[in-house]
């Protein structure tokens, strides 16, 4: 009823741009994206407001019309090449259109004038990650200022980029330092994975054993520990999985592996319970 009332108001007052924008916003929330495009494009008056472009870009993006998004952002960018918001929107459109070089050039042009602009740097690293350029992304990451509340996310991103760039020794050294500063579950898991990638399985086992002894409620680290010892110590793996799953964990690997342990022990009724739960978590 609200949409119908707004449509009638807009049709009765086609020259009132705020009504057209309001209706387009409602269509957008209702995922009626083609109606957004048709409504905005129906206004043929001069000097369309900025909101029209934003609505069209968002709607065409939602419809998957990437070529049209590039066209819209390109026109907007050419008119306002110094505007950060427009430059970032245009670079994202170019990236979606697989024009990585051009997308990076848009950001670098502004970064040459504003080398410490955090908004531009964050847009650049997002582009580099999407383009699978971990070495370049690491260089950009070093220029980004991180607040305390984002420290854990920053650490994980840096470690993952080092691994992707095959800088395993650097990732190991970095994470060992981070773990000494704060023995968090996230750091323990990342460091153990780096140890495994560098064929240092005994180090991964020692780390996870120690961490599990102090933090049995850290279910992600505990699950990784159980996954490793499963090959050599079935009883210990079973004990860890049982502890992990007693916390109502939805770790589907733990659910699946524990189901196999129970099945091999002849307890098919319990095995089916855990296997079924794993399938609920990842139905495909």
């Amino acid at each position: 009823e609200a949409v119908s009332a707004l449509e009638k108001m807009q049709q009765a007052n086609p020259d009132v741009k705020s009504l057209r924008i309001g209706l387009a916003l409602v269509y957008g929330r209702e995922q009626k994206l083609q109606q957004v495009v048709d409504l905005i494009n129906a206004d043929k008056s001069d000097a369309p407001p900025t909101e029209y472009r934003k609505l069209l870009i968002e709607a065409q993006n939602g419809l998957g019309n990437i070529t049209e998004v590039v066209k819209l952002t390109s026109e907007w960018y050419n008119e306002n090449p110094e505007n950060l918001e427009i430059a970032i929107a245009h670079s994202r459109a170019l990236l979606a259109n697989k024009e990585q070089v051009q997308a990076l050039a848009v950001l670098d042009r502004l970064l040459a004038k504003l080398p410490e602009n955090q908004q531009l740097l964050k847009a650049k690293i997002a582009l580099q990650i999407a383009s699978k350029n971990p070495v370049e992304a690491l260089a950009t990451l070093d220029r980004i200022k991180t607040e305390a509340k984002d420290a854990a996310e920053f650490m994980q991103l840096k470690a993952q980029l080092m691994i992707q760039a095959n800088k395993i020794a650097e990732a190991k050294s970095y994470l060992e330092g981070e773990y000494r500063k704060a023995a968090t579950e996230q750091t323990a898991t990342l460091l153990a994975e780096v140890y495994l990638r560098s064929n240092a399985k005994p180090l991964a086992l020692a780390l996870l054993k120690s961490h599990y002894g102090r933090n049995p409620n850290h279910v992600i680290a505990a699950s990784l520990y159980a996954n490793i010892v499963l090959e050599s110590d079935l009883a210990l793996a079973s004990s860890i999985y049982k502890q992990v799953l007693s916390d109502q964990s939805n770790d589907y690997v733990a659910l699946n592996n524990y189901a196999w342990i129970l099945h091999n022990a002849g307890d098919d009724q319990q095995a089916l319970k855990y296997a079924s739960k794993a399938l609920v978590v990842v139905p495909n």
Side-chain angles (χ1 to χ4, degrees), residues 53-246:
R53 270 179 167 150
K54 290 182 179 179
L55 287 162
L56 281 173
I57 289 167
E58 191 173 340
Q60 295 287 16
N61 203 36
L63 290 166
N65 298 331
I66 304 303
T67 304
E68 188 63 28
V69 176
V70 171
K71 178 185 171 185
L72 287 165
T73 58
S74 180
E75 290 171 356
W76 202 14
Y77 173 69
N78 289 335
E79 293 169 17
N80 305 273
E82 307 302 319
N83 185 292
L84 295 186
E85 181 188 4
I86 298 169
I88 290 169
H90 185 43
S91 72
R92 285 176 180 160
L94 289 167
L95 177 63
N97 204 40
K98 295 182 170 48
E99 298 179 59
Q100 290 96 330
V101 174
Q102 294 90 328
L104 195 59
V106 169
L107 297 178
D108 280 340
R109 180 182 172 278
L110 283 176
L111 277 166
K113 299 177 181 178
L114 305 163
E116 301 304 316
N117 185 281
Q118 296 297 297
Q119 189 181 3
L120 284 170
L121 288 169
K122 286 174 183 176
K124 182 173 181 176
I125 196 171
L127 190 154
Q128 290 168 326
I129 290 169
S131 303
K132 295 181 171 56
N133 291 322
V135 176
E136 292 86 346
L138 277 169
T140 304
L141 189 63
D142 287 338
R143 296 166 62 190
I144 293 175
K145 295 169 185 173
T146 311
E147 296 180 25
K149 64 182 178 65
D150 300 321
E153 187 179 352
F154 177 90
M155 180 207 68
Q156 181 167 359
L157 178 58
K158 185 169 184 175
Q160 288 172 339
L161 288 172
M162 285 176 169
I163 292 167
Q164 289 169 21
N166 206 29
K167 295 177 181 253
I168 304 300
E170 288 182 35
K172 175 175 167 289
S173 177
Y174 170 65
L175 287 169
E176 284 174 340
E178 291 297 310
Y179 191 71
R180 281 192 294 270
K181 286 192 283 185
T184 67
E185 177 180 25
Q186 184 185 41
T187 316
T189 307
L190 285 167
L191 181 54
E193 288 175 354
V194 168
Y195 282 150
L196 291 171
R197 282 175 176 265
S198 57
N199 297 315
K201 188 175 177 181
L203 287 177
L205 272 170
L207 169 68
L208 291 169
K209 180 181 179 180
S210 172
H211 192 87
Y212 177 69
R214 287 178 280 110
N215 306 282
N217 61 323
H218 286 182
V219 295
I220 298 173
S223 294
L224 180 58
Y225 180 36
N227 295 347
I228 298 171
V229 300
L230 183 61
E231 301 170 9
S232 57
D233 193 335
L234 202 61
L236 176 57
S238 180
S239 171
I240 299 167
Y241 285 135
K242 194 171 182 179
Q243 168 65 36
V244 166
L245 297 172
S246 70

